[in-house]
Amino acid sequence: MATVLLLRHGRTTANATGELAGRRPVELDDTGRAQAGRAGERLRALPLARVVTSPLVRCRTTVELALPGSTPVVDEGLTECGYGDWEGRPLKELSKEPLWPVVQQHPSAAVFPNGEAMAAMSARAIAAIRRWDASVSAEFGPDALWLACSHGDVIKAIVADAMGLHLDQFQRIVADPASISVIRYTPTRPFVVRLNDTADLQSLIPPPSADAERSDAAVGGGAGGGV
């Protein structure tokens, strides 16, 4: 199966002020735009077969800055969790709500007021990633690399599933702004290749196929014989 790179969007104005952005049209701040640019430097050498993104502007902007030549596909399945009445409120204020310890310790039972259940967020995000991974694998082969740009809680839920963890343990995972986590799915189980990574990605480039190696050898032999 293909390998997916999960890119979190860069830092936003809400991240900087400590507010819960949710699905509001929150923009990247200057730091976030710089983070997206640096992510692009790391991604540029990779032969990405497909780029998929959450519809929210902070993800679409991150992709535009990181991969300006790409044509991303928007998928609602990768959008932020619907935090309902919590959206736009300071995290310091939310931490005093009775629901807060449930979100932190028993998220599979958390349903946001006038919003989405965290279990529902996890299920639709995992389904979207697995659907795209199967599609990319079928079209481009098992060595294909593809990228999905999404949000912190969404990425943590996808990673938790890949690690075989219950959703109640997903808060142990960290997905920083503009970080990349990498999952390789197989017919039997997923492998988490990178987590919350900000380092070089060159080792993810798949080796040349046997056909390509034979072709390169033939070209090299011809050039050598003609000198």
Side-chain angles (χ1 to χ4, degrees):
M1 300 289 283
T3 298
V4 58
L5 290 80
L6 301 169
L7 171 64
R8 186 183 174 190
H9 60 77
R11 195 179 82 164
T12 68
T13 54
N15 293 143
T17 59
E19 294 176 354
L20 186 62
R23 296 179 179 176
R24 296 181 303 144
V26 174
E27 300 276 358
L28 301 185
D29 65 5
D30 289 342
T31 296
R33 296 179 70 85
Q35 290 172 335
R38 288 194 296 273
E41 294 172 1
R42 301 166 59 214
L43 292 165
R44 205 160 292 139
L46 302 185
L48 297 175
R50 183 81 73 231
V51 178
V52 185
T53 181
S54 157
L56 297 184
V57 66
R58 55 191 183 271
C59 287
R60 290 188 286 107
T61 300
T62 297
V63 170
E64 289 170 5
L65 293 172
L67 300 166
S70 66
T71 305
V73 180
V74 172
D75 191 323
E76 293 283 349
L78 298 180
T79 197
E80 180 63 285
C81 184
Y83 297 118
D85 295 344
W86 277 31
E87 292 189 1
R89 294 175 59 189
L91 294 174
K92 288 183 178 180
E93 178 183 300
L94 291 172
S95 66
K96 301 174 184 177
E97 292 280 352
L99 184 60
W100 182 266
V102 180
V103 171
Q104 299 303 315
Q105 300 172 34
H106 190 24
S108 64
V111 181
F112 294 98
N114 295 312
E116 187 177 24
M118 296 203 85
M121 173 275 291
S122 175
R124 49 98 169 153
I126 292 165
I129 288 294
R130 288 181 176 269
R131 182 177 65 252
W132 276 108
D133 198 74
S135 173
V136 171
S137 297
E139 184 173 355
F140 298 100
D143 291 328
L145 301 174
W146 66 284
L147 181 137
C149 185
S150 191
H151 309 269
D153 279 350
V154 175
I155 290 172
K156 287 159 55 179
I158 294 166
V159 171
D161 170 73
M163 296 179 71
L165 299 177
H166 193 279
L167 183 61
D168 286 346
Q169 297 174 308
F170 99 127
Q171 297 288 25
R172 303 182 183 192
I173 299 167
V174 176
D176 289 323
S179 67
I180 295 171
S181 297
V182 181
I183 301 172
R184 180 175 297 121
Y185 291 94
T186 76
T188 55
R189 63 183 180 271
F191 292 89
V192 178
V193 180
R194 302 278 183 99
L195 180 61
N196 197 37
D197 199 294
T198 56
D200 182 74
L201 299 169
Q202 296 283 337
S203 65
L204 295 174
I205 298 175
S209 65
D211 289 343
E213 289 178 342
R214 285 193 292 270
S215 176
D216 288 345
V219 170
V227 172

